[in-house]
Amino acid sequence: MKAFKSCKKFLNSRRLASLLFMGIATACSFEKGEFQITDVSKKHFFTDSASFHPCCCVATTVTGTLDAPGLIVIHGYLIGGLIDSIYLPKGNVNVKSHGDLYVYRKIAIEYFPGKAKKGNLKIKTSIY
């Protein structure tokens, strides 16, 4: 019974509120982005960003079709630093990738077509 009262007292205290605020303020928000490539024969460049703490992870899913292999490179926007590179095979594309940590709020997503001329791609990102 005494432990229950102590727990209840802690839940009502300012300490819990300040710990929750600190946890929220230092964490990344969960942000999603979606990018379409209809002309796969040309190089494309996109940016995506998270709005909170700069140390985040990036999960990327690429779906679509290509008539030749291509490549996607994800790196820190303005400051560089490779986060991930994704090989896109010929035919149906359904690739998932995960870059563990980067230290800037914006990322750059670059698509390199290789010899691809026909197809389409959808790139979905989750920054958290």
Side-chain angles (χ1 to χ4, degrees), residues 15 29 92:
R15 184 178 296 169
S29 62
N92 288 332

Side-chain angles (χ1 to χ4, degrees), residues 57-72:
C57 298
V58 181
T60 309
T61 302
V62 184
T63 57
T65 58
L66 288 174
D67 65 342
L71 179 69
I72 290 181

Side-chain angles (χ1 to χ4, degrees), residues 4 13 15-16 18 22 26 37 39 41 45 47 49 56 60 78 88 96 100 103 107-108 111-112 119 122:
F4 177 73
S13 72
R15 184 178 296 169
L16 178 62
S18 64
M22 286 176 52
T26 59
I37 298 176
D39 184 357
S41 66
F45 181 84
T47 60
S49 65
C56 300
T60 309
L78 293 179
L88 306 174
K96 294 180 182 181
D100 278 336
V103 291
I107 60 170
Y111 164 73
F112 298 94
K122 183 185 291 186

